[in-house]
Amino acid sequence: FWRVRDWEPVARLQGHGDEAWCAEFRPDGAQLASGGKDHRVLLWRPPAATAEPAFPVGPYARPRFSPDGRQLGTRTEGRNLIAELATGT
């Protein structure tokens, strides 16, 4: 993460076993989901730079939050996966 006013780094997210390919913030900004080459989606709570438990999904997963931020969806290899974030199911 960088501070916008001066582009000073404030946190580095480390958790994927390989490259992270995409990321999206929850609509309220409280979480960030990142999808990586390691076939996982990780959840982050900025400004902490540690990941919460991962969702194993498959290659090329692109995480997307629902408009209310309660669900996280991914699409990979022709499958749609939806997780309820409050329960983890």
Side-chain angles (χ1 to χ4, degrees):
F1 288 111
W2 294 269
R3 201 172 32 230
V4 174
R5 71 174 178 265
D6 58 7
W7 294 104
E8 181 70 25
V10 294
R12 181 182 175 119
L13 304 179
Q14 295 183 8
H16 282 286
D18 208 323
E19 299 169 355
W21 287 344
C22 56
E24 179 173 288
F25 276 99
R26 196 168 81 183
D28 65 2
Q31 279 183 310
L32 174 75
S34 60
K37 189 176 177 182
D38 60 359
H39 300 201
R40 298 184 306 155
V41 170
L42 299 180
L43 293 174
W44 312 83
R45 290 195 183 272
T50 56
E52 296 179 10
F55 293 90
V57 289
Y60 312 111
R62 297 182 57 184
R64 295 290 182 256
F65 285 99
S66 62
D68 64 7
R70 294 180 182 182
Q71 296 175 322
L72 179 68
T74 64
R75 178 162 176 81
T76 183
E77 295 184 323
R79 297 179 303 147
N80 293 316
L81 305 169
I82 299 174
E84 294 286 338
L85 294 176
T87 63
T89 60

